[in-house]
Amino acid sequence: MAVLAVDAGGTRIKLGVVEAGRIVARSSIDARSDEGLGPQLPRIAAALKQIAPSEVEGLGMAFPSLVDTSTGRVTRDSGKYRDAMGLDLNSWTEREFGVPLQIENDARMATIGEWRHGAGRGFDDVVMVTLGTGIGTGVIVGGQILRGKHGQAGCLGGHIVVSINGHRCPCGAVGCAEAEASTASLPTLAAEDPGFADSPLRMSDPLDYSAVFGFAEQGDPCSIRLRDRSIDVWGSLGVSLVNSYDPEVVVFGGGILAQGEALLAPIRRRIERDAWMPWGKVQVVTSVLGNDAALLACEWLVQSRNERNHENTFN
Ligand SMILES: [Zn+2]
């Protein structure tokens, strides 16, 4: 049976109907995240009802923060959708669609999607890193999603400290990977570069990694420094993740991966040089599902939880 899927991003809320590993219908709306999530719920419900079949098995939601999967509550204010912690999304889902909600952290959802249907398929031990506005991570260990006691294991890779004298991260810590190399931190990092005033990057709108890689290719020294330092950060992060979680494959995804092998090859070299792998060599690959990973994961999440509830009822 079909599953409703919601991927609540910072700029777009992507919606879909997933059945048998395929997105059979899709839609999206503006996120308007500065207004909060509450005002968007009627818009989400209306847009989903336009594409929903008459019967659905459940609703899965990928959310950009820490969540309590048992209560369906958002447990930390991540700066996006500031009202989300106060919302009872479970009740909203039951009321609107008559099915339970399965909510999960968005990077973990992307990891599940790649694990079941994409670049991590066939592996039991997978680490995923999404490089975009921020940095998200997710971990599968021994065929199980790593969640930890409070739901934060494996998904805070963006806040692994890579520079003890680094930049202040919006999370409050210093030198997090996300503060040292992400699209959100790029304007700050660029403005500190001694060559920024003379760099074509200064006129870039938006100032993003596609501009950095493009101007670096043309020989702009400021862009080259930003590119190389960012790759160092992502490579170091990859080393820490391999040492922490012992995966067979590390999947890199997110908007910055549009740079392809020019980005991935040096990250792979760094991981192969520095990570502990006496057993062989971890695969370092690009995501294959892109933005669809989290939507596809909604089906697996809903079905695996329904199966578990079924077992608990009859055992
Ligand atoms: Zn941080």
Side-chain angles (χ1 to χ4, degrees):
M1 204 190 300
V3 164
L4 299 176
V6 178
D7 181 5
T11 52
R12 301 289 294 173
I13 299 173
K14 293 186 276 293
L15 309 167
V17 178
V18 187
E19 193 164 11
R22 288 192 318 119
I23 299 172
V24 295
R26 64 171 81 226
S27 175
S28 76
I29 58 174
D30 286 338
R32 301 184 196 165
S33 53
D34 51 329
E35 296 173 2
L37 185 62
Q40 317 317 327
L41 291 178
R43 298 171 60 230
I44 294 172
L48 265 181
K49 282 171 184 172
Q50 284 194 348
I51 57 172
S54 54
E55 265 196 287
V56 295
E57 194 174 344
L59 185 147
M61 183 183 291
F63 194 80
S65 187
L66 292 178
V67 299
D68 181 336
T69 52
S70 57
T71 61
R73 293 273 181 176
V74 175
T75 56
R76 191 179 194 275
D77 178 4
S78 68
K80 296 172 194 160
Y81 302 110
R82 302 211 89 121
D83 61 340
M85 284 175 68
L87 298 176
D88 183 354
L89 296 169
N90 240 335
S91 299
W92 171 78
T93 307
E94 288 279 1
R95 201 169 55 242
E96 293 288 349
F97 302 100
V99 291
L101 167 74
Q102 301 298 347
I103 191 168
E104 186 51 277
N105 169 268
D106 58 351
R108 206 178 268 146
M109 280 292 231
T111 310
I112 294 170
E114 292 290 340
W115 171 46
R116 303 315 297 174
H117 302 291
R121 199 169 172 177
F123 296 99
D124 285 333
D125 296 88
V126 180
V127 164
M128 177 153 185
V129 184
T130 55
L131 302 177
T133 310
I135 296 179
T137 59
V139 176
I140 309 290
V141 174
Q144 303 280 326
I145 306 161
L146 188 66
R147 285 206 178 80
K149 178 77 177 169
H150 311 98
Q152 63 185 58
C155 66
L156 294 181
H159 303 281
I160 285 177
V161 173
V162 295
S163 174
I164 56 168
N165 297 312
H167 298 84
R168 178 75 64 182
C169 179
C171 82
V174 168
C176 298
E178 188 168 299
E180 298 301 324
S182 67
T183 303
S185 61
L186 195 49
T188 305
L189 302 169
E192 287 172 1
D193 188 276
F196 184 58
D198 301 319
S199 166
L201 270 185
R202 204 169 57 85
M203 306 304 288
S204 283
D205 186 21
L207 204 179
D208 59 12
Y209 276 100
S210 108
V212 168
F213 274 75
F215 290 127
E217 195 67 24
Q218 293 167 25
D220 172 49
C222 169
S223 300
I224 290 172
R225 283 190 291 271
L226 285 168
R227 178 196 64 187
D228 292 353
R229 163 140 167 104
S230 297
I231 287 173
D232 268 350
V233 169
W234 298 325
S236 304
L237 176 60
V239 171
S240 294
L241 291 170
V242 170
N243 287 351
S244 301
Y245 300 117
D246 189 14
E248 303 162 277
V249 59
V250 183
V251 183
F252 280 87
I256 298 172
L257 264 292
Q259 304 306 322
E261 274 297 307
L263 169 59
L264 202 62
I267 291 177
R268 185 185 295 120
R269 277 198 300 274
R270 176 66 168 262
I271 292 173
E272 288 176 359
R273 192 192 73 185
D274 292 353
W276 287 51
M277 295 185 283
W279 50 271
K281 206 183 269 186
V282 71
Q283 294 191 38
V284 179
V285 299
T286 316
S287 76
V288 298
L289 301 173
N291 287 332
D292 287 347
L295 288 180
L296 286 167
C298 290
E299 184 189 32
W300 183 86
L301 196 69
V302 166
Q303 289 181 344
S304 62
R305 298 239 172 102
N306 283 354
E307 273 167 31
R308 204 161 58 221
N309 289 342
H310 187 78
E311 278 167 19
N312 289 343
T313 308
F314 290 95
N315 284 342

